[in-house]
């Protein structure tokens, strides 16, 4: 053995190894303290090398917001921690959430391009999870313009929603007042609307491919275990190499989803005629692509509307427009059977305004209680209790605390919606809190973020509000819903929160005559 190696060997006593380890840990904590200087408070001494503060989370929590519960109790409504390779800030007060989503929307407009996010969006090409960049802004503009172009045809949109509303009402009539689970009916109804809006009139879940697409999306949202596991692993770049199967299962689902959508896109592109009037969302996208190709754009700009962009944009519509809307309807019914007096008030208003004719979007100003009920179901139900994660695009501040560039920032909107300093008796379902003294709907309540806000606000908000208003109007005009189970259903889910399955009875109403 050489003298050098012999000297090293002699120095590797148990005591020296302990001192070296202690020195390394001390150096690690000094680096953590420096890295988080002037940032929101958080667990510094419990941060361990490579893993960060992973042991500070409640890893067995049923939903993501609960995983941070003890940290909030210890450090307040805004705190920071290290998770794997990322600095993370949690905003859980009304002031912090408003500053993050609204006041400094541009500073926090990014999205983390983690392993799972990047893969399920075909390289970050979608609207919801894509990072803020010139390409993303261009794609979002095309997306929102296409959706607005479709929604501007109000009679067409209303007709397609009403067609499915009639089918839903007929299904519930066939139950003949017996107990049934409304979930499947509501989910299929909303899915059929989305299918017609995206593809064309007549496309619905009777098509085997679209039926499969519906089930894949529903199963993904319900698979809270894999979603939470993948979410935690995403904070650790080396997590993809661990012998866990959550990534594989999630990617397999999205591979099949993308294959189904790609098939529809290619079939439609082969028959697309740019001279025909646009009648659906996919036609709007193809029209935008055609216009782009006709103009003097460089090849790089034209590539921003590739087939992959179409595929993930359509999946965004399914994932955001189908699941969250049907879940909100399930919340509305579950609350109204629990509080039947609100049902009576809504039906009294429907009888006065609509009578026996079909409800219309023109009735919205005169049916404030229906809109208030939807808003209250969104507030108490919290379909998205933790907004999709944002990323700081620049060095900035939040509530006076330093937030470095590339920090992942979460908005805990559920904590704001259930904050007693923002809402009186926040846990109580009360639609009248959204009605002013003149009986009008309060549209600028504040401290209310079911669709997000600012630069990353949900692009499908207007469509969701149209669907929810018409569906709730049709349902409560036609039926009185009766509670079967004694208690409210338990909440489930990871990213998307939904009520557990429950049964109700739908009693047919006798409508007034003369309208």
């Amino acid at each position: 053995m050489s003298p050098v190696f012999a000297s090293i060997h002699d120095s590797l006593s148990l005591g020296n190894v302990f001192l070296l380890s202690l020195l390394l840990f001390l150096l690690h904590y000094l680096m953590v303290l420096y890295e988080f200087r002037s940032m929101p408070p958080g667990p510094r001494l419990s941060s361990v090398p490579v893993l960060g503060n992973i042991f500070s989370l409640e890893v067995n929590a049923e939903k993501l917001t609960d995983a941070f519960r003890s940290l909030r109790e210890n450090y307040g409504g805004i705190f920071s921690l290290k998770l794997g390779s990322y600095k993370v800030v949690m905003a859980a007060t009304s002031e912090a959430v408003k500053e993050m989503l609204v006041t400094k929307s541009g500073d926090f407009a990014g999205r983390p391009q983690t392993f799972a996010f990047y893969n399920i969006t075909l390289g970050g090409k979608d609207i919801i999870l894509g990072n803020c960049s010139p390409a993303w802004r261009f794609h979002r503009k095309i997306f929102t313009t296409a959706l607005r172009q479709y929604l501007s045809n109000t009679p067409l949109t209303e007709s397609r929603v009403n067609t499915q509303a009639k089918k839903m009402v007929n299904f519930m009539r066939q139950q003949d007042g017996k107990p049934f689970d409304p979930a499947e009916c509501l989910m299929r109804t909303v899915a059929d609307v989305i299918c017609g809006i995206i593809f064309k009139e007549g496309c619905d879940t009777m098509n085997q491919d679209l039926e499969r697409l519906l089930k894949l999306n529903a199963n993904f949202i319900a698979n809270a275990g894999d979603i939470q596991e993948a979410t935690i692993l995403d904070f650790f770049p080396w997590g993809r190499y661990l012998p866990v199967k959550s990534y594989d299962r999630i990617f397999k689902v999205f591979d099949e989803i993308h294959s189904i959508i790609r098939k529809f896109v290619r079939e439609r592109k082969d028959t697309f005629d740019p001279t025909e009037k646009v009648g659906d969302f996919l036609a709007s996208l193809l029209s935008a692509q055609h216009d782009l190709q006709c103009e003097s754009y460089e090849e790089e700009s034209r590539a921003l509307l590739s087939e992959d962009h179409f595929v993930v944009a359509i999946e965004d519509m399914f994932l955001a427009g189908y699941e969250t809307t049907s879940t909100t309807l399930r919340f509305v019914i579950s609350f109204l059977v629990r509080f039947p007096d609100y049902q009576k008030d809504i039906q009294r208003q429907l009888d006065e305004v609509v009578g026996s004719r079909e409800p219309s979007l023109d009735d919205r100003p005169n049916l404030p209680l229906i809109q208030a009920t939807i808003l209250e179901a969104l507030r108490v139900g919290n379909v998205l209790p933790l907004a999709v994660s944002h990323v700081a695009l620049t060095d900035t501040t939040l509530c006076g605390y330093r937030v470095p560039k590339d920090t992942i920032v979460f908005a805990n909107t559920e904590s704001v919606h259930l904050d007693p300093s923002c809402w009186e008796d926040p846990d109580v379902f009360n639609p009248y809190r959204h009605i002013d003294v003149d009986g009008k709907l309060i549209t600028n309540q504040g401290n209310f973020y079911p669709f997000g806000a600012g630069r990353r606000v949900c692009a499908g908000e207007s469509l969701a509000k149209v669907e929810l208003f018409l569906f709730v109007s049709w349902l409560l005009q036609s039926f009185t819903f009766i509670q079967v189970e004694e208690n409210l259903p338990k909440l489930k889910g990871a990213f998307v929160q939904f009520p557990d399955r429950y049964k109700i009875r739908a009693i047919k109403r006798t409508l007034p005559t003369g309208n």
Side-chain angles (χ1 to χ4, degrees):
M1 182 180 295
S2 68
V4 174
F5 283 109
S7 176
I8 294 175
H9 180 271
D10 292 340
S11 65
L12 289 179
S13 64
L14 184 61
N16 287 340
V17 170
F18 174 77
L19 288 174
L20 178 61
S21 299
L22 187 62
L23 179 63
L24 291 175
F25 270 97
L26 180 60
L27 180 62
H28 164 74
Y29 289 123
L30 288 174
M31 291 176 63
V32 168
L33 291 174
Y34 177 78
E35 191 177 16
F36 282 84
R37 68 193 184 282
S38 302
M39 288 186 67
R44 304 292 175 251
L45 297 181
S46 63
S47 175
V48 298
V50 182
L51 299 178
N53 295 110
I54 188 68
F55 299 113
S56 298
L57 301 181
E58 298 181 28
V59 293
N60 293 322
E62 292 187 1
K63 60 180 184 178
L64 290 174
T65 48
D66 290 343
F68 297 93
R69 182 190 301 151
S70 61
L71 288 172
R72 185 182 176 190
E73 292 173 353
N74 291 330
Y75 299 102
I78 177 170
F79 56 86
S80 62
L81 67 157
K82 187 74 175 286
L83 288 179
S85 303
Y86 297 93
K87 291 186 286 293
V88 176
V89 170
M90 177 65 72
T93 67
S94 60
E95 295 80 11
V97 170
K98 181 179 180 180
E99 184 175 343
M100 173 193 163
L101 295 181
V102 182
T103 311
K104 293 185 176 178
S105 176
D107 289 355
F108 297 103
R111 291 280 196 237
Q113 295 304 289
T114 57
F115 181 62
F117 276 19
Y118 194 77
N119 277 272
I120 66 177
T121 60
L122 301 177
K125 294 184 176 71
D126 80 332
I127 301 299
I128 297 176
L129 301 179
N131 198 16
C132 186
S133 65
W136 175 84
R137 285 190 287 270
F138 175 84
H139 189 211
R140 180 183 170 90
K141 181 180 179 181
I142 296 295
F143 180 95
T144 53
T145 300
L147 188 58
R148 195 180 301 117
Q149 183 179 6
Y150 176 84
L151 291 176
S152 64
N153 189 340
T154 303
L156 176 63
T157 305
E158 187 168 4
S159 172
R160 288 185 173 172
V161 176
N162 286 345
T163 296
Q164 301 307 325
K166 291 175 185 177
K167 293 180 181 179
M168 175 177 60
V169 168
N170 288 335
F171 170 82
M172 292 190 178
R173 280 179 182 154
Q174 292 170 8
Q175 306 312 304
D176 198 26
K178 297 176 182 177
F180 71 100
D181 180 353
E184 292 295 335
C185 171
L186 295 174
M187 292 165 68
R188 184 175 294 277
T189 298
V190 175
D192 285 344
V193 171
I194 292 295
C195 288
I197 286 173
I198 293 174
F199 299 113
K200 59 183 176 180
E201 185 69 36
C203 283
D204 57 31
T205 51
M206 294 298 289
N207 179 293
Q208 289 185 351
D209 286 331
L210 293 178
E211 168 78 4
R212 179 62 180 162
L213 187 61
L214 167 66
K215 288 184 177 179
L216 287 168
N217 277 283
N219 291 341
F220 168 71
I221 293 297
N223 188 3
D226 279 350
I227 292 175
Q228 289 195 202
E229 186 174 281
T231 300
I232 297 300
L233 286 174
D234 256 5
F235 288 103
F236 308 93
W238 44 264
R240 71 190 74 173
Y241 304 112
L242 295 177
V244 293
K245 298 298 182 181
S246 56
Y247 277 142
D248 293 339
R249 288 190 289 267
I250 289 174
F251 294 161
K252 183 178 180 181
V253 168
F254 275 90
D255 284 345
E256 188 173 355
I257 286 173
H258 293 153
S259 295
I260 294 172
I261 297 174
R262 200 178 300 276
K263 175 184 174 182
F264 279 94
V265 171
R266 289 177 178 177
E267 289 176 350
R268 189 64 178 283
K269 192 171 183 179
D270 289 340
T271 61
F272 175 68
D273 183 353
T275 63
E276 290 184 357
K277 186 177 180 180
V278 169
D280 54 72
F281 179 68
L282 179 52
S284 295
L285 290 177
L286 290 169
S287 178
Q289 185 184 55
H290 177 267
D291 293 343
L292 196 66
Q293 290 171 344
C294 293
E295 297 174 13
S296 57
Y297 281 93
E298 297 179 357
E299 190 64 30
E300 290 183 3
S301 297
R302 294 177 183 173
L304 294 177
L305 271 183
S306 67
E307 183 178 271
D308 281 356
H309 285 94
F310 280 28
V311 169
V312 292
I314 290 171
E315 172 55 14
D316 277 354
M317 288 281 286
F318 265 99
L319 198 59
Y322 147 66
E323 181 63 40
T324 54
T325 302
S326 60
T327 298
T328 302
L329 288 172
R330 291 165 63 190
F331 271 121
V332 168
I333 294 177
S334 71
F335 286 125
L336 288 179
V337 297
R338 181 72 171 175
F339 303 100
D341 286 346
Y342 296 135
Q343 271 197 87
K344 294 178 183 177
D345 291 349
I346 291 171
Q347 289 167 339
R348 188 180 304 114
Q349 203 170 79
L350 275 165
D351 290 346
E352 293 173 355
V353 174
V354 179
S356 58
R357 65 173 171 81
E358 294 181 358
S360 165
L361 289 176
D362 293 335
D363 296 319
R364 278 193 288 188
N366 301 315
L367 295 172
L369 193 51
I370 287 181
Q371 297 184 75
T373 298
I374 294 168
L375 294 178
E376 186 69 347
L378 288 167
R379 186 191 69 82
V380 181
N382 287 291
V383 178
L384 290 173
L386 197 65
V388 180
S389 52
H390 292 233
V391 165
L393 296 175
T394 184
D395 291 338
T396 185
T397 60
L398 186 62
C399 293
Y401 293 107
R402 184 178 73 94
V403 178
K405 181 182 178 181
D406 296 328
T407 299
I408 294 178
V409 187
F410 287 99
N412 188 337
T413 53
E414 180 182 60
S415 67
V416 177
H417 293 165
L418 301 179
D419 187 345
S421 67
C422 300
W423 307 88
E424 184 179 352
D425 297 324
D427 295 319
V428 176
F429 179 81
N430 177 17
Y432 282 101
R433 71 173 79 242
H434 303 282
I435 303 288
D436 65 18
V437 293
D438 297 320
K440 304 294 184 181
L441 183 73
I442 302 173
T443 57
N444 56 348
Q445 186 95 314
N447 296 316
F448 189 60
Y449 306 99
F451 299 99
R455 195 164 296 188
R456 301 302 301 233
V457 67
C458 176
E461 178 180 354
S462 57
L463 174 60
K465 289 181 175 179
V466 166
E467 292 181 274
L468 289 169
F469 173 79
L470 287 174
F471 283 142
V472 174
S473 298
W474 275 80
L475 286 171
L476 293 179
Q477 181 194 45
S478 304
F479 305 103
T480 294
F481 294 106
I482 306 297
Q483 184 177 5
V484 174
E485 285 97 350
E486 182 177 347
N487 298 316
L488 279 171
K490 294 181 179 180
L491 301 182
K492 299 176 67 175
F495 277 122
V496 176
Q497 184 168 258
F498 51 90
D500 204 354
R501 295 299 185 94
Y502 60 86
K503 289 187 176 182
I504 56 168
R505 293 170 57 218
I507 307 302
K508 185 179 176 181
R509 296 184 67 231
T510 300
L511 300 181
T513 59
N515 285 48

